[in-house]
Amino acid sequence: MWYEAAARYIEEKKSEDNSLLLLLTSQSSRLDKMKSLLGLLEKKGVVAPLLCTYDVSDDVPVDVLAKTDVLITTKSFRSLQYWDYASDYGVKAVYAGDGDIFW
């Protein structure tokens, strides 16, 4: 689910939109999906939007949220914690399964 949301972000956004997607993933994330996202970014070239990933098996530095526009989460307890942090920074937090998650 996270992959589809991130791919949609890459497709819909451009660098000129000045947005950054923070994608929290786990060690169980498949390497081939991450490589595929990299390919989508490379294909888009200089107009590719900003995308940042963090492995949630480690603590994510909460201050990175200060520079984040969209936080896509799952419904795990850990994701809900970051959802709460995101609200403190005015970050748009969305569930990856929602339909229209980008404005």
Side-chain angles (χ1 to χ4, degrees):
M1 184 176 308
W2 63 266
Y3 172 81
E4 290 80 6
R8 199 163 63 236
Y9 171 80
I10 294 168
E11 181 181 315
E12 294 179 15
K13 292 293 191 176
K14 299 178 192 163
S15 58
E16 65 194 33
D17 294 327
N18 292 321
S19 64
L20 168 66
L21 172 65
L22 173 61
L23 182 62
L24 304 178
T25 60
S26 66
Q27 289 180 340
S28 63
S29 297
R30 298 180 46 77
L31 185 58
D32 57 329
K33 287 186 177 182
M34 297 303 283
K35 286 181 179 179
S36 178
L37 287 179
L38 181 58
L40 293 173
L41 288 168
E42 288 174 342
K43 201 181 283 189
K44 204 142 183 197
V46 296
V47 298
L50 296 176
L51 178 110
C52 184
T53 63
Y54 281 98
D55 186 336
V56 292
S57 60
D58 299 323
D59 285 334
V60 175
V62 176
D63 60 339
V64 75
L65 292 170
K67 296 182 176 150
T68 304
D69 296 306
V70 179
L71 173 66
I72 297 176
T73 69
T74 65
K75 291 186 177 179
S76 72
F77 178 73
R78 188 173 191 114
S79 288
L80 293 175
Q81 289 176 310
Y82 285 105
W83 189 295
D84 185 48
Y85 297 145
S87 69
D88 293 341
Y89 287 92
V91 174
K92 180 179 180 180
V94 296
Y95 170 59
D98 290 343
D100 186 21
I101 58 177
F102 303 112
W103 63 96

